[in-house]
């Protein structure tokens, strides 16, 4: 089973979600650790294969957690946030930029591990 690694404030952000949402995302991430594809997961557009989003609606709000399975060593949770825009509106650019920056950071960490360098998350 792959470990889950949290990037940046993703874990703290997820812990701020309602408990029901935390349970849904926690179970989905457990499934990902086991190599399964949760029913709540879908590819995040614009990021290529292996970057997915979990979506859960609760009390008329929408919550998202973005993760990647591109790496053999772990499942990386890149971002967790409450979507503020109305339905069918694109994800905010600031969230997409943060996801992209954290994915670059994870790539660098993974590359450093491959070469035996020390890094911090």
């Amino acid at each position: 089973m792959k470990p889950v690694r949290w990037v940046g404030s993703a874990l703290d952000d997820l812990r701020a979600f309602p408990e029901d949402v935390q349970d849904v995302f926690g179970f989905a991430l457990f499934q990902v650790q086991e190599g399964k594809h949760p029913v709540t997961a879908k590819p995040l557009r614009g990021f290529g294969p292996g970057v997915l989003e979990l979506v859960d609606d609760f009390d008329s709000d929408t919550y998202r957690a973005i993760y990647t399975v591109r790496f053999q060593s772990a499942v990386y949770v890149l971002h967790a946030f409450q979507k503020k825009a109305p339905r069918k509106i694109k994800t905010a650019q600031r969230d997409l930029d943060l996801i992209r920056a954290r994915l670059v950071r994870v790539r660098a960490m993974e590359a450093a591990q491959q070469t035996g360098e020390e890094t911090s998350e």
Side-chain angles (χ1 to χ4, degrees):
M1 190 155 65
K2 282 186 178 183
V4 172
R5 295 194 179 132
W6 302 86
V7 183
S9 63
L11 180 57
D12 290 336
D13 296 338
L14 184 81
R15 286 181 175 160
F17 292 173
E19 283 187 38
D20 288 349
V21 176
Q22 291 181 50
D23 290 346
V24 168
F25 287 170
F27 181 69
L29 289 170
F30 175 74
Q31 289 178 306
V32 173
Q33 285 181 279
E34 292 183 321
K36 299 175 184 172
H37 183 79
V39 296
T40 57
K42 63 181 184 176
L44 183 61
R45 295 169 84 181
F47 286 85
V51 177
L52 300 110
E53 69 177 330
L54 300 170
V55 179
D56 191 40
D57 293 321
F58 179 80
D59 197 24
S60 74
D61 291 317
T62 300
Y63 298 87
R64 294 182 178 201
I66 312 301
Y67 68 95
T68 184
V69 293
R70 285 185 181 170
F71 307 99
Q72 291 293 325
S73 66
V75 174
Y76 287 93
V77 180
L78 302 170
H79 189 31
F81 60 101
Q82 180 181 351
K83 188 172 178 218
K84 300 290 185 181
R87 290 189 187 276
K88 305 294 181 191
I89 302 293
K90 292 181 180 181
T91 301
Q93 189 62 47
R94 70 180 177 278
D95 290 312
L96 295 173
D97 291 343
L98 180 61
I99 294 163
R100 197 166 281 110
R102 288 180 177 175
L103 185 58
V104 167
R105 191 163 126 197
V106 169
R107 278 190 200 123
M109 289 174 9
E110 284 287 320
Q113 284 181 352
Q114 295 294 322
T115 61
E117 295 176 23
E118 289 290 318
T119 62
S120 64
E121 290 183 40

